[in-house]
Amino acid sequence: MKRRYKNDIERYGSDILKSEELQHAYDQTHHTWSTVGEHTLRVAAASLAICYALRKIHVSTDTSAVVKGALCHDLGILGRYEKYKSNKECSRRHPADSVEIARKLVEDLPEKSADIIGRHMWPAGHSKAPNSLECVIVSVADKYAAIKDKVHDLFREDNSSD
Ligand SMILES: [Fe+2]
Ligand SMILES: [Fe+2]
């Protein structure tokens, strides 16, 4: 990962990066071939890429809230098969569970980060709509990362059938 991304993720997300929750996130599969931990870092990086691009056109964003939100957005999904009865239930409930975990990991979690996490599934999962630019950024980065994982998987399947 480029140094600028790494620096911002470490500057604003050090408590989360050090947490047991994020360490466990590397043990749970996500989007078929990836893990929650890898997906989390891809979402944080994609979110920052959008922030940096917006800065170039003089649109400022709260990078700290974005990093904290992106790093915590899916932590509630950990242990999903024990916690939730179905994928549908997981999709609806994990954002609120992620907010709860984020509040434990980050002292004085900004409300903007809590909203980023709680609303990231929009328009799926009966989620409330984003209420800030930062919310939109992480929600879009999450979809981008998920689609990229699916496309990667498609190519893996293609390769395996040769
Ligand atoms: Fe999610
Ligand atoms: Fe996600």
Side-chain angles (χ1 to χ4, degrees):
M1 192 186 292
K2 284 184 181 170
R3 193 188 303 179
R4 184 186 189 189
Y5 289 77
K6 215 167 167 259
N7 285 350
D8 272 345
I9 290 172
E10 282 170 3
R11 180 178 308 138
Y12 300 122
S14 59
D15 292 348
I16 305 157
L17 293 172
K18 281 185 280 181
S19 70
E20 241 176 65
E21 283 82 354
L22 194 58
Q23 296 312 311
H24 286 155
Y26 287 92
D27 299 331
Q28 187 173 308
T29 307
H30 200 46
H31 299 152
T32 324
W33 64 275
S34 187
T35 67
V36 175
E38 289 163 335
H39 165 75
T40 293
L41 281 187
R42 278 195 287 270
V43 172
S47 300
L48 282 173
I50 298 172
C51 292
Y52 301 153
L54 288 171
R55 199 176 294 165
K56 282 194 175 165
I57 55 166
H58 312 291
V59 176
S60 63
T61 53
D62 183 343
T63 319
S64 169
V66 164
V67 168
K68 290 177 175 75
L71 289 180
C72 292
H73 82 281
D74 270 345
L75 292 180
I77 230 170
L78 298 174
R80 64 186 292 175
Y81 302 107
E82 294 80 50
K83 276 163 69 176
Y84 309 125
K85 283 191 220 97
S86 63
N87 287 339
K88 206 174 182 181
E89 188 187 343
C90 177
S91 166
R92 282 185 193 176
R93 287 188 40 202
H94 81 272
D97 289 344
S98 298
V99 172
E100 208 175 295
I101 293 170
R103 290 198 196 281
K104 277 195 283 180
L105 299 183
V106 183
E107 215 182 312
D108 298 323
L109 182 78
E111 273 316 297
K112 192 171 265 186
S113 297
D115 281 330
I116 288 172
I117 301 162
R119 296 166 185 249
H120 79 269
M121 287 298 285
W122 182 85
H126 292 247
S127 170
K128 283 185 182 168
N131 60 352
S132 69
L133 174 59
E134 290 79 1
C135 246
V136 174
I137 290 170
V138 177
S139 183
V140 168
D142 186 37
K143 270 91 187 156
Y144 167 76
I147 291 164
K148 207 163 170 246
D149 288 353
K150 295 280 179 204
V151 172
H152 179 88
D153 197 38
L154 197 71
F155 283 105
R156 276 161 47 103
E157 280 170 20
D158 274 359
N159 288 338
S160 65
S161 65
D162 283 345

